[in-house]
Amino acid sequence: MDLLRDNELIYGRLLVIEEPHLIERYNKALKAFGLKPTERERIEIDRTGFSPQVAEDLGDINYLDPNQINRRFIILTPQQADLPVVHTAFSNTSQLLYEFLTANARVINALTIKDVIYGEIEDSVAKVEDIEDLLSINQVEFRVLSAEDVTGKATELATLVDRLKQEPEAWRDTAMLEHMVDLAKVTGDIRQNALVPDQVIFRHNAYWTSHFGGLYVFVDPGMTTVISDPAAPGFRRSRPWQVSYLSLHDTERIFDFLVSTGRIELPRASWIDESNYLEHRAEMIVRTLIHQSDPKRELSSVDRVWLQSWIHGHADLINREGTFPFLNAAKRELAQLGQMKMADVRPERRFLVVRAKPDHPDAWLTSRLISDFVPFDFVSRYVFNKQGFYRDYEGFDAVWRRHVVETLKDTYLKDKAGFRARLYGLHD
């Protein structure tokens, strides 16, 4: 993974923490979780407070996610809202934490001046043992703590202030007044700085989870759809009256589900032409075939003229594999008709020519699912399914790893937002 790390393709865009008082606060949170404090003077953290360096020292990449449920978090600064989440068992952890940070921005700004915020994203499940455990999660609650208990002291002070207002004789309680002064020394003026989060409960909607080898949950009015390996415990047995189950290996049914629920944008010349979507897919498969036929060839320096020559010289291989001819045929059909007859397309090829509907709330999750059916497109895999990409990368040889890294640097990393907008229609 060193090549990925050196090129910021893993653990990129993290926030450097090197101020001694912030390291001290981070260690207080680790101790509260029963973990060994770090001895490092410099660490990097993501939105949740996860640090690759601390994970390495502890020998536990799940130190903030011990059972892959009820995710822990450590917040040192409001800046974390703009960071990625680089390690999680649920795809919606990032969004949930972003909603919490933005909904309580004023409180978090005030609290992190004085203290570290830590806690858990709690739900009704302590451990996931079958699909029913996942389906029982309808909402999550952020249990918020702080090392100096600033939030608790602010709550106590607010209660005592109310007592002063409501009980005429409360002013005579000298001990209570002295205690209020001590609390105020920690919290400051709570009339000016709210120190208790306003919103801590959030909906838990569609998501992917790493449990049971990878499982998708899509939520529609009146029906929830689970897509997973049929070997997952509880598959087709948990809540069959309100849950539809699709095998992750049943390409045709998954495609039909995504179309019928409006999550997929079918191939139309209107978006295909301006996005160069098919050209991107075609180049991905050609480069894959070149490497498979000549594993030692370095591909980073080849140009389009060389690629065309290779295609002409290896027509039998390309036709036998079939993806490149199919994409060319799709381009011709779209040029002539403006659309494609998807019923005539074999199920295993349909995901080659569609993308997630950009304006659907589940666009990123749908894009992740599509990437499972087009694994040779490592760019899309990296954009939407980093866990899958990193797993694939582990099986790549050194030559292909170098090519993958250079391609991602020359395409996606140069302009992430622009690349996502052009190819997938997604706008930040």
Side-chain angles (χ1 to χ4, degrees):
M1 291 289 182
D2 290 343
L3 186 60
L4 293 177
R5 189 191 293 266
D6 292 344
N7 288 277
E8 295 189 337
L9 288 166
I10 188 171
Y11 303 145
R13 287 183 50 233
L14 300 188
L15 180 67
V16 174
I17 302 296
E18 52 190 354
E19 298 87 344
H21 72 285
L22 292 181
I23 295 291
E24 181 183 359
R25 289 180 184 179
Y26 192 90
N27 278 334
K28 287 181 179 179
L30 290 178
K31 290 178 182 177
F33 289 137
L35 299 171
K36 180 182 177 181
T38 182
E39 296 180 359
R40 294 180 185 247
E41 297 179 351
R42 181 185 187 276
I43 61 174
E44 295 172 299
I45 62 171
D46 73 354
R47 182 179 292 171
T48 69
F50 170 82
S51 168
Q53 295 79 22
V54 174
E56 182 179 336
D57 291 346
L58 294 174
D60 182 8
I61 198 169
N62 291 316
Y63 75 98
L64 289 185
D65 205 6
N67 291 315
Q68 288 78 64
I69 197 79
N70 294 331
R71 174 61 183 259
R72 295 169 173 174
F73 58 86
I74 300 174
I75 302 172
L76 295 172
T77 166
Q79 291 176 265
Q80 287 174 233
D82 298 321
L83 301 178
V85 172
V86 299
H87 179 70
T88 180
F90 286 84
S91 63
N92 60 351
T93 297
S94 178
Q95 182 64 26
L96 288 169
L97 197 63
Y98 180 79
E99 290 175 7
F100 169 75
L101 290 168
T102 52
N104 300 288
R106 183 183 173 193
V107 173
I108 290 167
N109 286 342
L111 275 174
T112 51
I113 292 173
K114 305 169 177 288
D115 206 352
V116 57
I117 304 170
Y118 64 91
E120 292 184 354
I121 306 175
E122 290 188 332
D123 51 54
S124 56
V125 176
K127 188 175 182 181
V128 174
E129 296 182 340
D130 57 27
I131 291 176
E132 174 60 31
D133 292 329
L134 296 171
L135 295 177
S136 68
I137 305 171
N138 297 314
Q139 64 184 29
V140 298
E141 180 174 356
F142 282 74
R143 184 166 68 89
V144 182
L145 304 169
S146 61
E148 304 301 329
D149 195 24
V150 174
T151 299
K153 289 181 172 66
T155 301
E156 184 182 0
L157 181 57
T159 301
L160 295 177
V161 169
D162 286 342
R163 183 181 170 190
L164 278 179
K165 292 178 180 178
Q166 296 171 13
E167 299 178 15
E169 298 300 314
W171 288 100
R172 300 179 183 276
D173 190 339
T174 304
M176 185 187 81
L177 295 177
E178 290 176 350
H179 183 49
M180 290 177 68
V181 171
D182 290 337
L183 291 173
K185 289 177 181 178
V186 177
T187 66
D189 188 345
I190 60 172
R191 295 171 301 174
Q192 302 296 322
N193 296 312
L195 295 174
V196 180
D198 295 318
Q199 186 176 354
V200 295
I201 297 176
F202 298 87
R203 290 290 302 170
H204 185 75
N205 293 317
Y207 60 89
W208 168 91
T209 175
S210 61
H211 293 280
F212 314 127
L215 179 146
Y216 293 84
V217 175
F218 291 93
V219 181
D220 294 292
M223 180 59 68
T224 295
T225 301
V226 169
I227 302 176
S228 75
D229 190 308
F235 188 84
R236 291 203 178 102
R237 295 193 300 277
S238 180
R239 308 187 191 190
W241 62 91
Q242 66 178 187
V243 178
S244 172
Y245 290 89
L246 301 178
S247 167
L248 197 52
H249 313 300
D250 193 338
T251 308
E252 185 169 13
R253 288 192 65 200
I254 291 174
F255 183 86
D256 290 344
F257 159 72
L258 294 174
V259 171
S260 66
T261 56
R263 289 181 168 88
I264 270 187
E265 193 162 35
L266 294 172
R268 299 284 188 271
S270 56
W271 70 266
I272 288 283
D273 290 345
E274 66 181 26
S275 67
N276 287 325
Y277 195 74
L278 299 188
E279 288 80 1
H280 167 77
R281 292 279 208 234
E283 184 163 340
M284 290 288 99
I285 190 60
V286 167
R287 289 176 177 268
T288 299
L289 292 174
I290 292 172
H291 180 69
Q292 289 175 354
S293 64
D294 187 3
K296 294 183 179 181
R297 177 175 292 280
E298 295 284 352
L299 290 170
S300 298
S301 60
V302 303
D303 56 24
R304 294 192 177 275
V305 174
W306 188 93
L307 287 174
Q308 281 298 122
S309 298
W310 189 91
I311 291 169
H312 292 315
H314 296 79
D316 289 343
L317 171 62
I318 287 174
N319 289 331
R320 187 165 57 250
E321 194 279 333
T323 301
F324 187 79
F326 166 74
L327 292 170
N328 279 338
K331 287 174 62 177
R332 290 193 297 269
E333 185 173 347
L334 287 165
Q336 294 171 2
L337 305 176
Q339 59 185 0
M340 286 183 66
K341 299 177 181 177
M342 296 305 291
D344 297 337
V345 178
R346 286 159 44 191
E348 62 269 22
R349 297 211 185 279
R350 292 176 187 172
F351 285 108
L352 291 166
V353 293
V354 299
R355 69 182 183 183
K357 189 166 286 186
D359 59 355
H360 195 285
D362 295 339
W364 279 75
L365 186 63
T366 302
S367 295
R368 183 188 191 110
L369 179 55
I370 291 173
S371 79
D372 282 341
F373 296 100
V374 193
F376 67 82
D377 184 357
F378 58 79
V379 175
S380 296
R381 197 92 159 131
Y382 179 81
V383 175
F384 298 110
N385 188 356
K386 286 187 174 56
Q387 287 96 336
F389 171 84
Y390 296 138
R391 187 170 59 249
D392 297 343
Y393 184 88
E394 288 288 345
F396 295 162
D397 60 39
V399 173
W400 191 239
R401 285 183 179 182
R402 286 195 295 271
H403 174 63
V404 166
V405 168
E406 289 303 316
T407 300
L408 289 170
K409 285 171 60 181
D410 292 341
T411 55
Y412 183 55
L413 290 194
K414 275 189 174 180
D415 181 8
K416 293 182 180 180
F419 187 89
R420 291 192 296 261
R422 177 178 62 81
L423 207 61
Y424 311 110
L426 296 172
H427 297 276
D428 291 340

